[in-house]
Amino acid sequence: MPTGRKLVIVESPAKARTIAGYLGDSYTVEASVGHIRDLPQPSELPADMKKGPFGKFAVDVDHGFEPYYVVDPDKKKKVAELKRALKESDELYLATDEDREGEAIAWHLLQELKPKVPVKRMVFHEITREAITRALENTRELDERLVDAQETRRILDRLYGYEVSPVLWRKVRQGLSAGRVQSVATRMVVERERERMAFRAADYWDVRGEFHVQAPADDAARGAFAARLVTVDGARVAVGRDFDDRGTLTTKGAVHLDEDAARTLVSGLAEASFAVRSVETKPYSRKPAMPFTTSTLQQEASRKLRMSSRQTMRTAQSLYENGYITYMRTDSPSLSLQATDAARRQAAELYGPEYVPDAPRLYATKNKGAQEAHEAIRPAGDSFRTPAQVARELSGDQFKLYELIWKRTVASQMADAKGSTASIRLGARATDGRDAEFSASGTVITFRGFLAAYEEGRDTDRYGDGAADGAGATGAEDAGEGEAKAGRKAETRLPRMETGDALATDALEAEGHRTSPPPRYTEASLIRALEERGIGRPSTYAATISVIMDRGYVLGRGQALVPSWLAFAVIRLLEEHFDRLVDYDFTAAMENDLDQIAAGSKDRVAWLTEFYFGDAAQGETGEGLRRLVEDLGDIDARDINSVPIGEGITLRVGRYGPYLEGPPGEGETEGRRASVPDDLAPDELTVEKAKDLLENQADGDLVLGEDPSTGTTIVARNGRYGPYVTELLPEPELDPTLSAAARKKALAAAPKPRTASLFSSMQLQTITLEDALRLLSLPRVVGTDPESGEPITAQNGRYGPYLKKGTDSRTLPTEDALFEVTLEEALAIYAQPKRGRGATAAAPLRELGEDPVSAKPVVVKDGRFGPYVTDGETNATLRKEDAVETVTLERAAELLAEKRARGPVKRGRTTKRATTTKKPATSRASTKK
C-alpha cells in the first residue's frame, strides 16, 4: 500500500541530520554508518567454504576474482533498521558520496536491501538547501564503473596484504602488514633516513657585510643594507648546494673558503673602498594559489595549522556534513560558475574592486587521474559566509580550517601581487690584490593583490632561506620540530643606488656554515611527493599515513616523520624479495591502470589475472604475485633484521624492539647487548653513540642473589618496557628427536619464570635482592571477603596497582599500597561506587550539552583506555584526533550515534551463520532500477 514516504540513505549520522533539515516530512533520512558489507577474514567464513576457492582470500582467484561479501557483525542491527524503513517507503534515494567509496556503499546497500520500489542515485558535492533540491531533481543511475574500480582496489589490497604480510610475520615480527601504497610510502621515509645516515657535513665560510651610501642624494638613498660575498677574483664562492652528501665540493670553478681564508679576506677589505658595480631592477608579479584539492588542503593544514592529515580530513568531513564546505575528497581545483562569482563578489566587497581581475580565473589540474566532475574544496553555497559569520557555530579546529579554505578560495579569484625586485652588485679590491664582489637583493610590493587575503605556505627548503648561503636548518624537525616556512621571504627594501655610487662599510664579518642533510619528510611533503610520483590517490593519503604510524613503521618528531628500525627491516625484506611491489614506477603504473578500469578502458578481471598470475609473454618482468611469493627461497631472518653500525657493532630488530649487539670481548662467546632508546632516531645512532649505549646501558643481567626458598638466581634486567626482575630457571631437557611443532608445544608447557616490573620509585642500579623478592611475591593475598568468601588480592598490572576479588577489580592509590593495604581498607575501597574496570567515580573532564537523540547530558570522562564521551547510556571512545579540550557536542553526538548503530559488542563465539552475499561475477545490470 503506497505510503508516500521516501527513504534517503547516507553514510553518517551528521550528514543525515543536516539533510533531514532540508527535506520535508515525507522523507525519512537514515545513515548506514559507512560500509555495511566487506570481505570477511578467512577464519570468519562458513565452515563449508573454508576449504573451497574462497578459503584463502574470501576471493575466488580461479573464477574471475569473484568476491564473497558478508554483512559486518556490528552492522546487522543497522541493516535490519534500514530494511524496516524501506518497507514503509515508496522510493529509495541512495545519497552516499559521489566518489568510488560512496558508489560502492550504494551498490552494497542495493545488494543487501533488495528494494522492490524505485531506486534513485542522488549525488551532490555540498550540503545546502539549494544543492539538495538540485540533487533531488537530477538523480542518475548507479555508476557501475566506479563500483568496479573500488572493488578492484579492495580485491587487490586483499591479495597484496594476505600474500606478503605473512612473510613479514615469519621473518620480522607478528602482526605486521604490507600494502600497495603504505609499503611504498614507508620506503620513501626509510630512503630519506638512509640518505641522512650516509650524509657527511662540509664546513665552509663566507663574508657578510653591512653598507650604506656615502653621499645619499635624498631620503630614498639613505639606510643601511646587508650584502654577502659571492665571488673572489671572478670565481664564485661555494655555498651549501655546491657540496654533495659526502661533503665533497662538486661545482667546478667554485672557491671553497675556510675560516683562515675568510678572516684574511675580511682583514684585507677593512680599509677598502666599496662601490656599486651594477643595479638591475625587474618588475615583480605573483599569482594566487589554486583553490584547495584534497592533497593541497592536507599539505597546507599541516604547514599552517599543524594538523595531521587524519585530523584535517576528520575536521573537513565534519564541515562538509554540516553544510559549511563542499565535498572534501577531490582532485580538481576548478570552481563552479556560481562559486567563482561568489568569490569575486566577496573579494570586491571586502578589499575593493581593484583587487579583482577583469576576467575570472579558471583552474585545471595536471593530474591525469583527477576526477574533474568534482569541484575544488570551497565554502558551501552560492554565496560564501565569512569566517566572522560562522565563528560562533564552529569549534576551534573547525573554525581554523574553514577560515583557511575561505581565504584560499577568495584569494584564488583576486588580482596578482605586483612590485619590483632590485639586485645590486658591489665590490672592492683587498690589500692583497684580490677582487671581492658582494650581492644584495630586495623586493618591494607596490600592490598586494591576493596577498591581502592569503599567502600560501611552503615546506622547508634544504637550500632556501639561508641554507644556500650557509644558514640553513638541517631539516624540518630542526626548524622548531617540524615548522615549515609560511609564505615567502619578508619584503626587503634597498636604498636607491646607482652604478658607481661610493659605499661606506659599517661592518664586515666572516661567517662559518655547515651543510645540512636532506630534510625529513613531514606529512605535507610526503603527501606532495606521493602525488608527484603518481602513487596512491589524495583521498587515501590520510589513511595511508595513519596506517604506517599506527603500525610503528614511522614515528612523529614534531612534524617530521622518522622511520623506526622496524621499518628498516620490513623495507629491506621487501626490496630484496618483492622489489617490484615497492618500485615507485610500478606502483604509479598500477594506479594508472586502476584509473583506466574506472574509466572503462581496462577490464578488471584481465588486469587482476595478470597482476596475480603474471604474464608469461613478458618473462621475469611479467611474474605475478603468486609466483613471487612461492619463489622466495630461504630468507635469512637474522640477516634481514640486522643493520651494521660499524666497528663490529650490529643493530638487530628483535621481538621486543631494537637492540645493539657488540663484538665479543676476550674470552667471551657473545658480545654485550643494549636496548636502543625509542627517542633515538636512526641517523643519530653513530658508532660513538652505540659504544656509549653498550657501555652504560647494557642489557646484561644484574645478578642480585639467590632466592632462599627456591634456590634460583634472581637477576635485574633493562627490558623493552622498562627495568624488571626475574628468576633464572634451568633450560628444560627435551627429546632432541622432537619435531619443531612438538618442541614448541613442550616449551610452552614448561614452567615460566616469575617476573615483576620495578616500581616507579626504584632504579635498576640500586635495587636489592630483598626488593626483588618482595616484587616477585606479588600478587599478595590481602584477606577474604566475609560476605562472599572470595579472596582479595593486591596485584601490579599494566595500568598500575589494583585489588582483585573474583572479576571485580579496584585501583590502589600507590604502588606501596600493594604491600601495605589491610583487609579493612580493601573492604572500604570495595564499598565505594565502581566506575569502569575498577576506578572510583571521578568528575567529568568537560560537560558538552544535551545529546539530540537521548536528550541526556553528554560529558567527557577519562577512562582506563583513554578519554570517552557518554550520555549515561552509551559510551564512545574519543578517536586519536579528537582532543578533550576541543571536542564539540556535535562530534560527541556523532560518535555516540555511530556506537549505537553498531549495537552491543557480542562476547565469545557464535555458531550462527553470518549473513552473506556472493557477488555475481558477470554483470550488475540486475541491480539497476
Side-chain angles (χ1 to χ4, degrees):
M1 179 177 178
T3 63
R5 297 205 63 78
K6 302 174 181 64
L7 176 62
V8 179
I9 302 179
V10 298
E11 302 98 321
S12 76
K15 188 175 175 182
R17 287 196 301 272
T18 307
I19 291 175
Y22 299 138
L23 299 174
D25 294 337
S26 60
Y27 289 87
T28 300
V29 185
E30 293 286 347
S32 67
V33 195
H35 277 279
I36 60 167
R37 303 195 313 175
D38 196 7
L39 300 173
Q41 301 286 337
S43 61
E44 298 170 347
L45 286 168
D48 60 334
M49 295 185 68
K50 288 183 178 179
K51 294 185 178 180
F54 293 94
K56 186 173 183 180
F57 305 113
V59 175
D60 186 353
V61 297
D62 296 314
H63 299 89
F65 292 86
E66 182 182 350
Y68 183 84
Y69 292 112
V70 300
V71 174
D72 294 332
D74 59 353
K75 292 297 179 67
K76 290 180 181 179
K77 179 182 176 183
K78 172 54 65 177
V79 170
E81 291 174 358
L82 294 176
K83 286 182 176 180
R84 284 195 297 270
L86 184 59
K87 286 182 180 180
E88 300 171 359
S89 304
D90 295 333
E91 282 184 281
L92 173 61
Y93 287 83
L94 298 173
T96 51
D97 293 339
E98 57 180 330
D99 57 8
R100 283 185 290 262
E101 286 296 323
E103 209 73 14
I105 290 173
W107 182 83
H108 282 292
L109 285 167
L110 272 183
Q111 296 298 302
E112 192 59 34
L113 299 180
K114 299 177 176 58
K116 298 178 181 179
V117 297
V119 178
K120 297 179 180 179
R121 180 74 173 101
M122 175 180 169
V123 294
F124 41 84
H125 65 270
E126 59 182 334
I127 304 178
T128 61
R129 188 178 300 277
E130 298 80 9
I132 298 304
T133 301
R134 287 193 292 264
L136 284 171
E137 295 170 353
N138 297 279
T139 57
R140 62 165 172 82
E141 297 287 337
L142 196 73
D143 190 330
E144 301 286 341
R145 295 181 305 180
L146 286 180
V147 178
D148 261 348
Q150 190 276 341
E151 184 172 80
T152 304
R153 280 174 160 79
R154 185 69 187 94
I155 293 173
L156 172 62
D157 291 340
R158 173 58 65 95
L159 298 176
Y160 192 125
Y162 274 43
E163 288 286 25
V164 181
S165 296
V167 181
L168 301 181
W169 303 344
R170 295 193 300 270
K171 300 301 180 180
V172 183
R173 187 186 297 175
Q174 279 288 333
L176 300 179
S177 70
R180 175 171 52 92
V181 179
Q182 77 172 59
S183 296
V184 175
T186 303
R187 183 189 177 192
M188 292 174 68
V189 179
V190 168
E191 283 193 336
R192 178 59 55 86
E193 195 70 12
R194 287 172 179 164
E195 293 173 7
R196 291 174 65 90
M197 294 168 72
F199 175 79
R200 297 295 177 268
D203 293 319
Y204 61 96
W205 287 69
D206 63 6
V207 179
R208 181 181 182 277
E210 288 193 7
F211 308 90
H212 68 267
V213 179
Q214 278 190 355
D218 51 31
D219 289 343
R222 299 182 188 279
F225 65 95
R228 193 170 291 278
L229 178 70
V230 290
T231 67
V232 175
D233 282 339
R236 190 164 66 80
V237 175
V239 293
R241 66 179 69 251
D242 296 314
F243 297 86
D244 64 16
D245 285 353
R246 308 300 295 179
T248 303
L249 181 65
T250 57
T251 303
K252 292 183 179 180
V255 57
H256 182 188
L257 295 183
D258 59 17
E259 182 176 3
D260 289 341
R263 294 193 184 282
T264 299
L265 188 59
V266 168
S267 299
L269 293 171
E271 303 299 329
S273 300
F274 282 86
V276 177
R277 294 181 175 178
S278 68
V279 178
E280 184 180 6
T281 303
K282 294 180 179 179
Y284 169 88
S285 180
R286 185 174 158 205
K287 297 180 181 298
M290 296 189 295
F292 280 131
T293 61
T294 302
S295 171
T296 55
L297 176 64
Q298 292 176 42
Q299 293 175 49
E300 194 73 340
S302 174
R303 297 183 193 112
K304 291 199 170 207
L305 306 181
R306 301 297 183 86
M307 293 171 67
S308 68
S309 54
R310 177 161 53 182
Q311 185 182 5
T312 298
M313 293 308 292
R314 169 71 66 183
T315 306
Q317 177 105 20
S318 174
L319 289 172
Y320 163 68
E321 291 176 343
N322 288 283
Y324 290 99
I325 64 171
T326 53
Y327 191 53
M328 66 287 158
R329 293 186 181 91
T330 175
D331 300 325
S332 174
S334 62
L335 294 175
S336 66
L337 179 61
Q338 294 92 334
T340 301
D341 289 343
R344 288 170 59 83
R345 186 167 59 249
Q346 202 154 60
E349 292 171 355
L350 295 173
Y351 303 103
E354 68 276 14
Y355 281 81
V356 181
D358 294 336
R361 294 185 184 273
L362 303 178
Y363 297 98
T365 185
K366 297 177 183 178
N367 185 350
K368 292 183 293 184
Q371 303 177 57
E372 290 290 357
H374 295 177
E375 203 180 340
I377 303 170
R378 61 166 177 83
D382 295 341
S383 61
F384 301 157
R385 287 176 286 179
T386 66
Q389 290 172 322
V390 300
R392 293 179 178 273
E393 304 169 19
L394 300 178
S395 66
D397 283 350
Q398 289 176 328
F399 175 78
K400 287 187 286 187
L401 196 64
Y402 179 84
E403 184 180 41
L404 190 70
I405 294 168
W406 177 86
K407 285 181 176 180
R408 177 93 164 211
T409 306
V410 171
S412 72
Q413 290 299 321
M414 292 176 67
D416 293 352
K418 295 186 179 297
S420 63
T421 60
S423 298
I424 310 295
R425 287 294 180 110
L426 55 134
R429 192 167 294 276
T431 53
D432 60 5
R434 287 185 295 170
D435 182 76
E437 189 165 88
F438 289 66
S439 175
S441 62
T443 299
V444 177
I445 305 295
T446 57
F447 175 69
R448 291 187 58 76
F450 74 91
L451 292 175
Y454 176 82
E455 185 169 8
E456 185 181 29
R458 59 193 178 100
D459 295 315
T460 299
D461 183 354
R462 182 180 182 185
Y463 299 114
D465 291 326
D469 55 32
T474 59
E477 71 284 357
D478 300 308
E481 282 296 301
E483 181 177 4
K485 304 291 189 294
R488 309 281 173 154
K489 282 186 179 181
E491 182 178 355
T492 304
R493 184 185 296 271
L494 292 176
R496 185 171 55 78
M497 288 175 276
E498 295 180 1
T499 303
D501 281 352
L503 300 173
T505 305
D506 297 326
L508 279 177
E509 184 179 359
E511 292 186 346
H513 313 286
R514 175 167 289 186
T515 55
S516 57
R520 289 194 176 101
Y521 284 109
T522 62
E523 287 198 25
S525 60
L526 181 60
I527 287 170
R528 188 178 71 247
L530 287 168
E531 187 174 35
E532 288 173 350
R533 290 179 180 271
I535 295 170
R537 282 292 169 260
S539 59
T540 65
Y541 290 156
T544 297
I545 291 175
S546 295
V547 166
I548 64 177
M549 296 188 78
D550 293 344
R551 293 286 181 185
Y553 296 148
V554 174
L555 310 172
R557 176 183 285 192
Q559 283 192 300
L561 301 179
V562 183
S564 65
W565 288 111
L566 176 65
F568 274 73
V570 168
I571 295 304
R572 181 180 173 188
L573 186 150
L574 294 176
E575 287 174 335
E576 293 182 5
H577 299 280
F578 298 93
D579 58 325
R580 197 157 58 101
L581 296 184
V582 289
D583 180 79
Y584 301 137
D585 293 336
F586 175 78
T587 307
M590 189 161 45
E591 199 66 52
N592 184 56
D593 289 344
L594 291 169
D595 286 334
Q596 291 185 47
I597 292 172
S601 56
K602 271 188 182 289
D603 178 71
R604 76 179 186 92
V605 174
W607 188 87
L608 285 168
T609 300
E610 182 178 331
F611 172 79
Y612 188 66
F613 293 105
D615 184 354
Q618 297 182 29
E620 289 189 6
T621 59
E623 192 175 32
L625 176 63
R626 187 167 75 170
R627 179 72 181 275
L628 203 60
V629 175
E630 290 174 348
D631 294 345
L632 283 177
D634 186 23
I635 298 178
D636 187 340
R638 183 176 176 83
D639 182 57
I640 284 290
N641 290 282
S642 300
V643 181
I645 302 299
E647 298 188 17
I649 302 173
T650 302
L651 179 133
R652 302 198 190 279
V653 180
R655 182 180 179 184
Y656 300 108
Y659 63 93
L660 292 169
E661 187 174 82
E666 187 175 347
E668 297 177 343
T669 57
E670 292 186 356
R672 302 187 73 182
R673 294 184 177 185
S675 296
V676 177
D678 292 337
D679 59 353
L680 186 69
D683 75 328
E684 296 168 357
L685 185 57
T686 61
V687 173
E688 291 72 22
K689 182 64 178 177
K691 288 180 178 179
D692 177 66
L693 290 172
L694 287 170
E695 184 67 27
N696 300 309
Q697 298 182 29
D699 278 346
D701 293 344
L702 177 62
V703 178
L704 301 177
E706 190 175 282
D707 185 345
S709 62
T710 64
T712 57
T713 300
I714 307 300
V715 298
R717 291 173 176 169
N718 197 5
R720 167 71 167 167
Y721 299 105
Y724 66 98
V725 292
T726 187
E727 61 182 336
L728 300 181
L729 299 181
E731 286 289 329
E733 296 182 5
L734 303 178
D735 185 346
T737 63
L738 289 176
S739 66
R743 181 179 177 84
K744 185 176 181 181
K745 186 175 182 180
L747 286 172
K752 301 296 186 294
R754 294 171 294 160
T755 300
S757 297
L758 268 62
F759 286 177
S760 57
S761 58
M762 297 177 177
Q763 292 186 344
L764 191 64
Q765 296 80 2
T766 58
I767 189 170
T768 65
L769 176 62
E770 183 183 358
D771 294 330
L773 293 176
R774 289 188 79 203
L775 292 173
L776 293 174
S777 70
L778 295 172
R780 178 177 74 93
V781 177
V782 178
T784 302
D785 185 342
E787 293 185 5
S788 66
E790 291 182 302
I792 299 175
T793 58
Q795 305 188 27
N796 199 15
R798 182 180 178 186
Y799 300 100
Y802 66 99
L803 293 171
K804 186 173 179 64
K805 180 181 68 172
T807 59
D808 192 356
S809 59
R810 302 297 175 95
T811 302
L812 284 172
T814 66
E815 291 171 320
D816 289 336
L818 287 166
F819 301 109
E820 298 170 355
V821 65
T822 64
L823 177 60
E824 291 73 19
E825 291 170 337
L827 293 174
I829 291 174
Y830 274 103
Q832 297 176 11
K834 180 181 177 181
R835 180 181 66 89
R837 295 195 173 213
T840 52
L845 302 178
R846 285 184 61 202
E847 297 180 359
L848 301 180
E850 187 177 281
D851 181 72
V853 176
S854 66
K856 295 188 176 182
V858 178
V859 297
V860 183
K861 290 190 173 184
D862 190 16
R864 187 160 198 171
F865 301 103
Y868 65 98
V869 291
T870 179
D871 64 349
E873 296 179 347
T874 304
N875 300 341
T877 304
L878 291 183
R879 308 283 169 80
K880 207 173 201 177
E881 60 272 19
D882 295 320
V884 172
E885 298 78 11
T886 58
V887 67
T888 62
L889 174 62
E890 180 182 275
R891 173 64 177 151
E894 181 182 353
L895 291 170
L896 292 171
E898 290 177 358
K899 185 65 178 290
R900 294 188 193 101
R902 289 197 295 267
V905 178
K906 293 184 179 179
R907 305 292 181 185
R909 296 189 176 186
T910 176
T911 57
K912 187 177 179 181
R913 180 168 169 170
T915 304
T916 60
T917 304
K918 194 174 178 180
K919 183 181 175 294
T922 53
S923 171
R924 296 192 185 83
S926 61
T927 67
K928 294 182 179 180
K929 299 292 179 180

